[in-house]
C-alpha cells in the first residue's frame, strides 16, 4: 500500500455562507493531493500527458463527517491499495488541525491513450515506481 499526506489551507473563496468549505471544492483538494502524491514518487502529470496518456476520472464518492472552516489547515491522507492496472483508485481521508476526520472519499481514474481514446495499461516507468510499495 502506498500512502501520502498533503496539507492545504481553506481559502475564503472556498467557503459558503455558513463559513464551511463548500463540498464541491473537495474534488479540487483531492486532485491537488493525488498530483502531489505522484510528484513525490517522481511522476509528473504533465509528463504523463505529454507521453500520450490521460487520466480521466471514472468515479468519485465522498462521505462527510465534519466541516472544514476558512483559514483552517487540513491534511489529506491519500492511499493506493492496489498496484495500478488500467485503472487506479485513490482513497482519501481529510483531517482538520485537531485531528478530527472531516470526510472519506475515493476517486477511480482510467489510463487512456490520447490518440485512440481507449483504455491502456499505465507506462512501465510509472509501474516501476509503484512496485516497491506493493
Amino acid at each position: 500500500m502506498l500512502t501520502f499526506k498533503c496539507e492545504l489551507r481553506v481559502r475564503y473563496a472556498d467557503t459558503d455562507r455558513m463559513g464551511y468549505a463548500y463540498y464541491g471544492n473537495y474534488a479540487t483538494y483531492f486532485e491537488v493531493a493525488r498530483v502531489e502524491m505522484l510528484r513525490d514518487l517522481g511522476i509528473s502529470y504533465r509528463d504523463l500527458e505529454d507521453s500520450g496518456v490521460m487520466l480521466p476520472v471514472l468515479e468519485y464518492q465522498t462521505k462527510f463527517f465534519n466541516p472544514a472552516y476558512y483559514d483552517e489547515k487540513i491534511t489529506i491522507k491519500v492511499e493506493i491499495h492496489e498496484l495500478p492496472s488500467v485503472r487506479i483508485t485513490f482513497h482519501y481521508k481529510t483531517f482538520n488541525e485537531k485531528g478530527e476526520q472531516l470526510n472519506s472519499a475515493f476517486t477511480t481514474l482510467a489510463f487512456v491513450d490520447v490518440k485512440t481514446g481507449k483504455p491502456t495499461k499505465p507506462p512501465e516507468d510509472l509501474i516501476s515506481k509503484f512496485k516497491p510499495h506493493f
Side-chain angles (χ1 to χ4, degrees):
M1 180 168 68
L2 177 61
T3 62
F4 179 78
K5 289 184 181 177
C6 180
E7 290 185 346
L8 302 169
R9 191 167 295 277
V10 177
R11 301 170 304 168
Y12 185 77
D14 294 343
T15 61
D16 59 20
R17 191 169 180 168
M18 296 180 288
Y20 298 170
Y22 179 66
Y23 78 94
N25 289 323
Y26 283 93
T28 302
Y29 296 164
F30 298 146
E31 178 188 2
V32 169
R34 74 175 169 262
V35 167
E36 291 306 316
M37 175 191 230
L38 294 175
R39 186 185 318 278
D40 190 61
L41 282 172
I43 301 164
S44 160
Y45 243 68
R46 177 182 292 262
D47 292 345
L48 192 60
E49 291 175 346
D50 289 348
S51 75
V53 178
M54 302 295 272
L55 279 167
V57 173
L58 297 176
E59 188 175 8
Y60 169 49
Q61 183 177 4
T62 307
K63 183 173 183 178
F64 293 95
F65 309 116
N66 294 295
Y69 299 94
Y70 164 64
D71 203 39
E72 187 171 46
K73 189 184 290 184
I74 58 174
T75 300
I76 302 170
K77 181 180 177 186
V78 188
E79 297 178 343
I80 298 176
H81 299 165
E82 298 175 346
L83 188 65
S85 58
V86 174
R87 296 178 182 198
I88 183 170
T89 299
F90 296 85
H91 300 268
Y92 313 93
K93 290 181 181 175
T94 306
F95 299 89
N96 64 17
E97 294 174 86
K98 297 175 192 171
E100 299 167 326
Q101 188 173 351
L102 306 178
N103 60 41
S104 63
F106 72 88
T107 54
T108 300
L109 293 79
F111 292 91
V112 173
D113 183 293
V114 172
K115 291 178 185 172
T116 66
K118 296 189 187 266
T120 186
K121 291 182 180 180
E124 260 320 301
D125 60 328
L126 182 141
I127 291 297
S128 69
K129 292 177 182 178
F130 276 94
K131 276 187 180 177
H133 302 279
F134 296 93

